Amino acid sequence: MVVRGDAVILGPNGSGKTTLLRAITGITVSKKGRILIDGLDVESIRGRPGLISTNLPEVIVSSRLPVKHVASFYLDLTSGDINYFKDLVSRLGSIEVLEKRYHELSPGLKKIVLNALAIATRARYILLDEPFENLDPARRVAILREILDSPGVKVIDTHATWLIKSLSEWDVYLMAEGLIYGPLKPRELEELKVSTSPVEDAVLQIKLKVGEVYLSKSAGTPLSSLESLDKLYEVLTWRR
Amino acid sequence: MASLKTYRFYTGNLVRDPYYWFWAVFFMLFWLLMGAFIYGSSMSKDALREELSRSIPPTTPGFEKILEDAWSKEVVYYTGGWYGGIALFSLTSVSIGLVYYVYYSTIPIRYLTKYSKATPLKFYVGLVLASMTVSLVAAIILIASTIALYSYRFYGLNKLVLPSNIIGVLAVTATGGVFEFLLSTALALLVVAIRKPKLLSMMSFAPLIISYGFGMYGMVGGGGLAQYSPFNIIMLLAYHYYTGSPLALDLKLIDMWKADPEIRNWMMPGSSIQTTDPLVLWLFLTAWILIFALIALAMLRIQRGVSVEEIIA
């Protein structure tokens, strides 16, 4: 898999999306293969502030300090923008969030803090794990807007299919049972049909434990609209 | 700069930790109170007069002066003995909290050392300094409390039972803080390296159990080889700098007053005791620090392959 621009990874629970982001950041060690970031093996990367940021919760040091101090510690070390972080958290959550401890926050507010921290780092590559999870619709849209406006290459893994319409220029990858497929453009997804029988012009051939499924433009059941993109998950967790 | 940031961040965390305040400070204050008012309740100048009169007839010229000096020494040795033990157990209590901090910091440290200005060395320097600082904060509170409580108990605050070398007391506390940090790091990384997160709780108490074992043995059990353990060395050096007493490693701490030549002359004329230069203990403590630094570094290398799932489980 080569990521050259903004990308979204769609996949069902347990498909390995979060593990993939952990492996890309280098906080979990890959047993097979290599991950190169700008040509550098992730294992050898040291002291590169601003190269990668992520909203994975495990990168946050367990702390008794208020969110604003934890963010200040992180963003100082990573050359990020603390004022932007405070502004974003105040707008999407509330100013009180900054004074609270991270572990006291609700799951939704924790997600806002983690997203804001990742975006405020102003990194070249921003990796966001389920950035819309536990957020209400208004906040989902607001955080999506911030993601789209932020500089750098964004890689999002998500269950959310509603956002695909807003990401017309992004690459879409599908992930199932630890394997990744793609890329496709969102508009290509609209035209695809799914079949369990081999198809000659298959755009994607997805290997599952129970067999293979084929996405093509010619044969099978059409994924007729983006609203029905959830059908992809039915395909990716296919049971016969 | 990154070390300073890390130092400030972790110091801020540790001083807000109620666990630290309860175990490293308030629980130790409780034992200082016990030492002054319960265990020390039988100590009096009259009791000492009776004991001293067995070796020096009370009619001897200058007896009262000797009694006064002996009483001063008994009080300072008793006080120093309690401070030495309490300093060790307070440092160990700090260590328990640090095992958790180090354990739960392994992933953030891995992340930040890749994508921030912090290198592993700068991170650990910051953590060591934070651990030294909180150890010193606890020590300062405990020293002040020791002076106040024991001066009140024995002199009604008319005279203060001051440490003979406060710089030495603080130096051994700070060095003890470094040792405890490295011990905690080694234990936390051992849990990570052997991939047994469920051992974390038990492992975090290992410093306390070991230090109580060695410390109590050195205090009331006996001297000998156990006095070369890092825990006993910290206790003995804290005692030495509080009291100014020579150190004899064959003696248990409660009998260390026998190492004072003046007291020996009064109470046990003609006896001799082999004393040890505190520098030797400093060298041993330095060696222990180096050994645990090497173990911690080795563990750091070994734990490279641990999965994030196991740590956050």
Side-chain angles (χ1 to χ4, degrees), chain B residues 205-225:
Chain B
F205 279 95
L208 194 66
I209 295 164
I210 299 169
S211 79
Y212 265 92
F214 275 102
M216 293 309 283
Y217 179 77
M219 202 181 285
V220 295
L225 271 182

Side-chain angles (χ1 to χ4, degrees), chain B residues 67-304:
Chain B
L67 176 65
E68 199 57 44
D69 288 351
W71 175 240
S72 294
K73 282 177 183 283
E74 183 175 3
V75 166
V76 81
Y77 290 159
Y78 182 77
T79 306
W82 272 97
Y83 177 75
I86 291 302
L88 169 66
F89 299 138
S90 172
L91 282 170
T92 310
S93 302
V94 171
S95 170
I96 295 175
L98 282 173
V99 174
Y100 280 95
Y101 272 98
V102 173
Y103 178 82
Y104 285 109
S105 295
T106 48
I107 292 176
I109 289 173
R110 189 169 166 81
Y111 172 76
L112 283 173
T113 53
K114 283 179 176 295
Y115 308 115
S116 82
K117 294 173 245 180
T119 62
L121 180 66
K122 287 175 183 171
F123 231 103
Y124 280 103
V125 167
L127 271 167
V128 168
L129 291 175
S131 133
M132 280 171 69
T133 303
V134 293
S135 299
L136 282 172
V137 168
I140 288 165
I141 294 168
L142 293 175
I143 291 168
S145 306
T146 304
I147 294 168
L149 290 170
Y150 288 76
S151 300
Y152 176 75
R153 163 67 184 86
F154 295 112
Y155 298 117
L157 288 178
N158 292 319
K159 182 181 170 184
L160 296 178
V161 190
L162 295 170
S164 74
N165 182 346
I166 187 72
I167 303 295
V169 171
L170 294 177
V172 74
T173 306
T175 313
V178 174
F179 169 75
E180 296 293 347
F181 171 78
L182 291 168
L183 173 67
S184 308
T185 305
L187 291 173
L189 293 178
L190 180 66
V191 172
V192 175
I194 62 175
R195 299 183 171 186
K196 298 281 183 195
K198 287 180 182 168
L199 284 181
L200 180 65
S201 182
M202 193 194 80
M203 209 60 108
S204 72
F205 279 95
L208 194 66
I209 295 164
I210 299 169
S211 79
Y212 265 92
F214 275 102
M216 293 309 283
Y217 179 77
M219 202 181 285
V220 295
L225 271 182
Q227 303 288 44
Y228 288 97
S229 88
F231 308 102
N232 294 53
I233 291 173
I234 290 168
M235 185 169 70
L236 287 170
L237 286 174
Y239 172 84
H240 167 73
Y241 289 115
Y242 201 102
T243 61
S245 160
L247 293 171
L249 299 188
D250 291 337
L251 296 173
K252 50 195 171 190
L253 194 71
I254 57 168
D255 286 343
M256 201 59 76
W257 55 269
K258 291 177 185 170
D260 184 322
E262 205 170 14
I263 291 194
R264 246 189 1 262
N265 190 35
W266 294 330
M267 314 281 275
M268 300 170 290
S271 65
S272 70
I273 277 172
Q274 179 77 42
T275 58
T276 302
D277 190 335
L279 184 64
V280 173
L281 294 185
W282 275 110
L283 290 174
F284 270 95
L285 185 57
T286 307
W288 278 115
I289 286 173
L290 289 174
I291 288 168
F292 275 91
L294 288 173
I295 293 172
L297 279 173
M299 289 293 153
L300 257 181
R301 281 171 170 249
I302 293 169
Q303 70 92 33
R304 273 168 56 89

